[in-house]
Amino acid sequence: MTIKAIHQDGCYVQEEGYVVSDMNGDKVMMSIQSGKYYNLGRTGGRIWELLSNGNTLMGIVAVLSTEYSVDQEKCSSQVEQFLNTLLKEGLIKHKED
Amino acid sequence: MLTEKKQWEAPELEMFDISK
């Protein structure tokens, strides 16, 4: 069994096929196929937007640290954990060059 | 012009199984 984990320098992009909407500032999405509904929250929603054309962990953290009052180390650690969850759920995929 | 930074909230993914 392969455990999926993001690579620090890997580029990731949104997986297609989800119905995405904004609900009071939270980003919510639904998969008709799997019957699952997801709430990414506000920060998660911003990360989702940054993954629209493909992005790296470093790239996402660089943008977020200019928009939010958070230190880079904490931001990087929490974003990495979040990306791992998205990858495990099949919401994002590794972007091939 | 400097814009004020937003308060950081740790990103979390909530999941629900909508499957009647």
Side-chain angles (χ1 to χ4, degrees), chain A residues 17-75:
Chain A
Y18 290 92
V19 179
V20 184
S21 181
D22 272 299
M23 195 171 71
N24 296 329
D26 284 3
K27 190 78 77 185
V28 296
M29 48 202 288
M30 191 169 80
S31 165
I32 302 291
Q33 206 160 31
S34 71
K36 280 188 175 177
Y37 166 89
Y38 301 93
N39 184 352
L40 286 79
R42 288 169 192 268
T43 315
R46 181 66 184 120
I47 293 169
W48 179 255
E49 287 170 358
L50 294 170
L51 288 161
S52 60
N53 295 313
N55 215 330
T56 62
L57 172 63
M58 296 279 282
I60 293 167
V61 171
V63 173
L64 292 178
S65 55
T66 65
E67 297 178 353
Y68 293 85
S69 53
V70 61
D71 70 75
Q72 286 221 349
E73 200 175 325
K74 180 180 174 183
C75 182

Side-chain angles (χ1 to χ4, degrees), chain B residues 10-12 15-16 18 20:
Chain B
E12 282 186 68
M15 290 174 270
F16 308 92
I18 56 174
K20 287 171 183 162

